[in-house]
Each structure stands twice: as structure tokens, then as C-alpha cells.
Amino acid sequence: MTMLATRTTPPLNHRNPEIADWVDDIARLTTPDEVVWVDGSTAEWDRLTKEMVAQGTLIRLNPEWRPNSFLARSDPADVARVEDRTFICSVDPDDAGPTNNWRDPSIMRLELSELFSHSMRGRTMYVIPFSMGPIGGALSQFGVQITDSPYVVASMALMTRMGDAALEAITPGTPWVPALHSVGAPLVDDDGVRHDDSAWPNNENKYICHFPESREIWSFGSGYGGNALLGKKCFALRIASVMARDEGWMAEHMLIVRVTSPENRVFHLAAAFPSACGKTNLAMLAPTIPGWKVETIGDDIAWMRPGPDGRLRAINPERGFFGVAPGTGLSTNPVATKTIWGNTIFTNVALRDDGDVWWEGLTDTPPAHATDWAGNDWTPASGTRAAHPNGRFTVAADQCPTIADDWNSPDGVVIDAILFGGRRPSTVPLVSQARTWQQGVFMGATMASETTAAATGEVGVLRHDPFAMLPFTGYNMADYFAHWIAMGERLGENAPAIFSVNWFRTDADGRFIWPGFSENARVIEWIVGRLEGDLAARATPIGGLPLAHELNLDGLSLDVDEIRGIIDLDKTAWRREAAEIADYFGTFDETRFPIELRRELERLTRELGPE
Ligand code: GTP
Ligand code: SPV
Ligand code: MN
């Protein structure tokens, strides 16, 4: 057994020996120089960011433009989630399949124990007690992340409720999820030789592993976002989706907003769009049409549970935003642009010569010279991107000018409608409403979207991404579909209405037809009109479609043909789509696949009729 050089005793450690024992076990396995229990204080943030600046991990931005803000440049091989290295380690492979990578839990545990053995040598091991959701809230859950990355600690400070307040609340017997993370780059080798640290340590051998039965997370080799901030995708979606299935609630890749109509009627919408497909933007929508107000509650994850009144209530389990930078500017997303005025960590964006950040879309005119995300000289003539397409900002939610006053409410908000959407250049119309919950679940289950830079791999490839949860459902996808059906049965008349939306139809030149962003308020207006029962909609095989005159198009430069092209049912395309969906449904285990979805497909095919 290796002795630790230093051992910082946790101030509240005695409160929960279970946590202390786990921390000791991990320290023995990973042999860091030092163990630091993170307290969540401002002094700690200041100390950590200072250390990271000295180390070269962070660059302090010019405080005149961005006070208390930093730029991190990742290793160029560590810029996004790694779906091919993400594993669900359930005892039975069928409990992970067919959409997840599976590993045998006992074999994986052995393999990981070897990887983690001495993996923190020469480094500091941080212990981060955290809460997803307001501390102590009925829908909230606790976790404890161990990490050897100070960048992860600072990011978790913005993204979760963490530190002493969380540790104090995890009293003995309170469930908590152990989440172990190492960048996998020890500073001292087996011969005791100490190496210099790099600005962004990582390991090319990455493993993002989830143990659904024991509700544990082990993440090795990456320091990036969803691979390393384990409260986010690993816990709040993959592990939480398993908890939700077992306990009768829902953990979803959804934004949450409050919409107030000109008549002062209030609605709450949740929307699932795949990664980098517009959740942050819709969550911070600044409506162009008069009288409408949108308030932000969450931009990435929703935990939803039927309340005592039988209606579906949702919380945002996060405390901050890890948002896509490119494309975020005053003309597209003024609210996000204002949110990141300071106290923000930027990752993989460009550095201006004046010490501020820049990325494609932040301003119309690029700086004459900058340093790109990889640290190279850059000018507009370089012909390369200044920012990585998955460059991100990390910022606390309470800096958002449109954050709802009660966004922190432990009881959440009642969801009136759920929206599903993705990047579909053709076929899927601007908006349609499901006739029933079952048709809504069919819409979610048959979602497809072009891949984006949020995960490694090819970009722009159309793939199925059911409920925007393809990379995030921690169990068998057919069981997940069945869980959605079951939730609808339980909610009955109280079930939210379900809509499909698509901001991404393109013309013959590949340009987006719909202006999107703030103009999406026009689609929200139609959706609210449907919720209020004032609008008719045309019943079609793919759901209720707006009549052209029902959409408020005042001030838009689209002509009638362009509008018709994106709001009407394209029967030919949908016959192809239905045939493709039949193939897709065939990839699931028939005994687990809900009959309701097959019936929806039969109905769609029948109603579309032959060519
Ligand atoms: P994750 O954080 O990866 O889950 O992504 P997200 O769903 O929150 O995506 P986000 O809102 O950050 O948008 C990703 C990209 O899509 C950005 O480059 C946006 O500028 C762009 N985008 C968002 N909304 C629209 C829209 O309505 N139309 C168009 N054309 N692009 C949009
Ligand atoms: C996503 O990819 O959906 C994200 C970013 O929200 S990450 O936290 O890296 O998963
Ligand atoms: Mn996301």
C-alpha cells in the first residue's frame, strides 16, 4: 500500500464514512500526491484558476472585456464526447443493447482498476461532492466526483451545486453516485521519475464507463465536457435514465422554458434536440414577435416526474450552461452573448490580440488577427476555422438575463408541451402536433438528425437519434421507448401535448430556408395557440400541421411557396421515411419493442397510401 505524501482531512468527512471510505480506496488505487476536498468557495475558485494559469491550462482573458474569465485549449485529440469509447456495463448485454456499447461489468472493472492504478501519481486528487438539482430537492440527486483535473473542478463549480453545502447534505444512508475520473496522465512514472505537466493532460486510451446496476461512473483519459464533467451526461442522463425507469420518472436531453403570451398566459415547454441542434438557443430565445416573453429554466437536461396533482413537473438538474460557442452572437443569441459577460471558462475558441475571445458567428466582422483554438496564428485569410466547431462556454445559469426567478425551485415547473426536433434538410416539416401521446412517442422514437461536432466522428451524416438520447440512454432503447409509453399511460389526461419541429430545412443550394433563432418564436406562438385550443391545424398522417395563415409571418422575407415547402406534408418523402422507419424498428428486439409504436407505423403507412 502506497502512503500519501499529504492528506487533507475533509472538514465534514466524519458525517459520511461511506464517502470517506470510497475516497480512501480510490486514493490507494490512484496514489495522488495529495487529496483535496473541494469546498465550493470563491477563494478556492481563485486559487485553482490562478494555479491553472501558472500551469498553462488556462489563459486569463483581459478583465476589461471579460472579468474573471479564462480560455482553455484542449489537446487537439480531446475536443468532444467519444461515443465509440462510451460503455454501458450492465450484467446482461441485452440491458444495454442494441444502441449502446456494452462491456461485461466484472471484466471492465478489472481493466479499469489497472488503468486507474497509480493514474494520479504526482497529481492532486480532488473530491467534489455535488447535487444535481437544488440541494435536498425532492427531484434532486447527489454524487461525489473524484478527479485529477483542476479544469474539471472549476467547470463542476459552474455546472453543479458542489462543495461543502452538498457534502453536508449527503448524510449517512442518503444515496449518492460515485463518479471517478482521471485524465490518465500520471506525472511520475514507474521508476519514480517526475515529468513536466502539459497544459491539457489526457490519454489516447479513453473509457467512459457506466455501471447501471451499482450506479457508478468510471471515466478515464479525457478532460473534455461530457466525458469528464460526470454530473452531466454520465450521471444526469445515462445513470439517471436507469433510476428514472426503475422509479417511474424521466431523465431527458431537454431544455426547459417558460413562455408568456401577450395575453399573459403562461406555458412551460421542454424540448429534446440532439447535441448542437439548438437547445441552448431555444432556451434563451429572444422573441421577435411583439408581446411574447421567454424565460430560461434549463438548456440541456430535464428531470421530469408526475407531481401530486398528476401533472408532469420538470427541473433542470444543472446549475450552469456548457454551450456551443460558434454561431452564438448578438444577432443569433443575444441572451447567451450577454450571459457570458464574465466569470466564464471558454474552451477551444480563438483568442483576440486584445485578450478577449472570438469565434465564428460572434461578430459579423472577424478580428484582423487572432490565435486560433489550437494556439496557431490566425487571420481571416487563413482559410481555417478560428474556433473549434465544438468550442464551448461554461457559465453559471444565474448570469443569464432571461433566467426565470424560480428556475431553482426544487419542485420544478409543470410541462405543458414537449417538442422533438433535429437537423433534417428535408422531409420533416417546420412543426407538427402529435394527435396522441402514442404518436408523440413515435415522433420521438423515429427522430433522426445530421451528426454534429459535439461528438467525435463524421459531421453531417443523417442518423437515428431517438428522443435526442441515442448517446445518453443508459439501458436498452426498446425498454426506454416502452417507458415513454408507460409514462403516458400513467399521466393520462395530464400528459403534455407533443410536437415535432425542424428549423433546418434547406433549399437546393443547401441554405437554411427558415430564419430560425429568434424567429422560432413564431412556431412557439402556433404551438401555444394549439395548447389554448384557438387554432385548427390540418389533420394529416404525420400529425396536425399549421394552416399557412395560422403562422405569423409578418416581417419575414419568405414567400408563400417557400413557406408551403416547409410546412406541408411531402407524401413521397414520407413514404420513403416510413419504409426506412420499418427497417429501423427491425433492429430492435421484438419482445421488448412496444406494440404501440408498430401500430403507429402501420397507421402512418396506411394513411400515406401507395405511390
Ligand atoms: P448541446 O449543448 O450540444 O446539447 O447543443 P444544443 O442543442 O444546446 O445546441 P445549441 O443551441 O448550442 O446550437 C448548436 C448550433 O446550432 C449553434 O451553432 C447554433 O448557432 C445553431 N442553431 C441553433 N438554433 C438554430 C436555428 O434555429 N437555426 C439554425 N440555422 N441554426 C441554429
Ligand atoms: C452534448 O454533446 O450534448 C453536450 C455537450 O451538451 S457535452 O457535455 O460534451 O456532452
Ligand atoms: Mn447536450
Side-chain angles (χ1 to χ4, degrees), residues 286 327-338 361-364 518:
T328 306
L330 278 178
S331 60
T332 53
N333 191 344
V335 175
T337 310
K338 286 171 196 151
L362 177 60
T363 53
D364 292 337
S518 295

Side-chain angles (χ1 to χ4, degrees), residues 112-169:
L112 286 168
S113 298
E114 253 166 60
L115 287 169
F116 275 91
S117 171
H118 304 298
S119 75
M120 298 186 187
R121 203 144 55 183
R123 294 192 183 278
T124 299
M125 175 176 125
Y126 300 94
V127 182
I128 316 169
F130 65 95
S131 174
M132 298 312 289
I135 291 175
L139 283 74
S140 302
Q141 301 280 347
F142 293 108
V144 181
Q145 175 160 357
I146 287 177
T147 181
D148 53 6
S149 161
Y151 167 87
V152 166
V153 177
S155 302
M156 288 288 284
L158 295 172
M159 295 300 296
T160 68
R161 288 98 173 160
M162 53 85 105
D164 281 351
L167 182 60
E168 212 162 336

Side-chain angles (χ1 to χ4, degrees), residues 231-301:
K232 199 172 175 57
K233 299 300 160 71
C234 298
F235 182 174
L237 289 179
R238 297 195 192 95
I239 295 292
S241 63
V242 172
M243 295 175 162
R245 173 202 61 191
D246 294 349
E247 299 165 10
W249 50 283
M250 309 169 93
E252 302 297 334
H253 193 201
M254 289 180 180
L255 67 94
I256 309 168
V257 284
R258 170 177 303 148
V259 175
T260 307
S261 75
E263 297 77 35
N264 260 322
R265 293 242 263 276
V266 176
F267 299 88
H268 293 98
L269 315 182
F273 308 156
S275 302
C277 290
K279 291 183 300 303
T280 303
N281 279 267
L282 187 60
M284 300 183 186
L285 182 104
T288 41
I289 45 176
W292 288 84
K293 184 164 136 191
V294 171
E295 291 165 90
T296 310
I297 295 171
D299 83 324
D300 197 47
I301 299 176

Side-chain angles (χ1 to χ4, degrees), residues 257-532:
V257 284
R258 170 177 303 148
V259 175
T260 307
S261 75
E263 297 77 35
N264 260 322
R265 293 242 263 276
V266 176
F267 299 88
H268 293 98
L269 315 182
F273 308 156
S275 302
C277 290
K279 291 183 300 303
T280 303
N281 279 267
L282 187 60
M284 300 183 186
L285 182 104
T288 41
I289 45 176
W292 288 84
K293 184 164 136 191
V294 171
E295 291 165 90
T296 310
I297 295 171
D299 83 324
D300 197 47
I301 299 176
W303 284 357
M304 308 195 287
R305 195 189 283 261
D309 59 357
R311 305 183 68 191
L312 191 63
R313 305 194 74 99
I315 63 160
N316 166 16
E318 303 193 275
R319 198 187 78 90
F321 309 123
F322 182 58
V324 175
T328 306
L330 278 178
S331 60
T332 53
N333 191 344
V335 175
T337 310
K338 286 171 196 151
T339 304
I340 55 180
W341 61 268
N343 309 318
T344 304
I345 299 176
F346 298 89
T347 304
N348 291 342
V349 302
L351 179 65
R352 293 168 52 111
D353 296 347
D354 65 3
D356 198 4
V357 282
W358 190 79
W359 50 77
E360 283 75 10
L362 177 60
T363 53
D364 292 337
T365 320
H369 178 268
T371 308
D372 75 9
W373 68 273
N376 306 310
D377 266 334
W378 183 91
T379 72
S382 297
T384 55
R385 298 185 62 134
H388 188 278
N390 194 35
R392 298 234 170 201
F393 54 80
T394 313
V395 66
D398 56 15
Q399 282 192 197
C400 177
T402 58
I403 198 81
D405 285 343
D406 56 347
W407 76 278
N408 244 320
S409 158
D411 301 325
V413 296
V414 172
I415 297 299
D416 299 290
I418 292 173
L419 280 53
F420 295 124
R423 289 179 185 263
R424 291 297 304 262
S426 72
T427 314
V428 177
L430 181 64
V431 58
S432 63
Q433 181 179 11
R435 177 185 85 247
T436 58
W437 178 268
Q438 286 77 6
Q439 189 180 27
V441 175
F442 178 81
M443 283 175 175
T446 57
M447 272 167 71
S449 190
E450 290 182 339
T451 52
T452 66
T456 57
E458 223 184 314
V459 169
V461 183
L462 189 65
R463 70 167 183 184
H464 284 282
D465 190 346
F467 297 84
M469 285 287 281
L470 176 71
F472 307 122
T473 300
Y475 60 100
N476 184 291
M477 191 61 85
D479 292 351
Y480 170 86
F481 295 165
H483 182 58
W484 264 85
I485 295 287
M487 288 303 298
E489 279 161 11
R490 179 154 156 219
L491 289 162
E493 282 186 352
N494 290 316
I498 298 180
F499 296 82
S500 156
V501 298
N502 180 19
W503 317 142
F504 297 97
R505 288 286 287 265
T506 51
D507 63 17
D509 301 320
R511 278 187 295 252
F512 295 121
I513 298 168
W514 180 248
F517 300 104
S518 295
E519 305 295 6
N520 293 332
R522 298 166 191 271
V523 176
I524 301 299
E525 181 180 42
W526 185 78
I527 287 173
V528 165
R530 289 293 298 157
L531 295 177
E532 294 196 298

Side-chain angles (χ1 to χ4, degrees), residues 72-83:
R73 292 189 189 121
S74 81
D75 185 298
D78 196 21
V79 294
R81 285 184 295 100
V82 282
E83 294 181 0

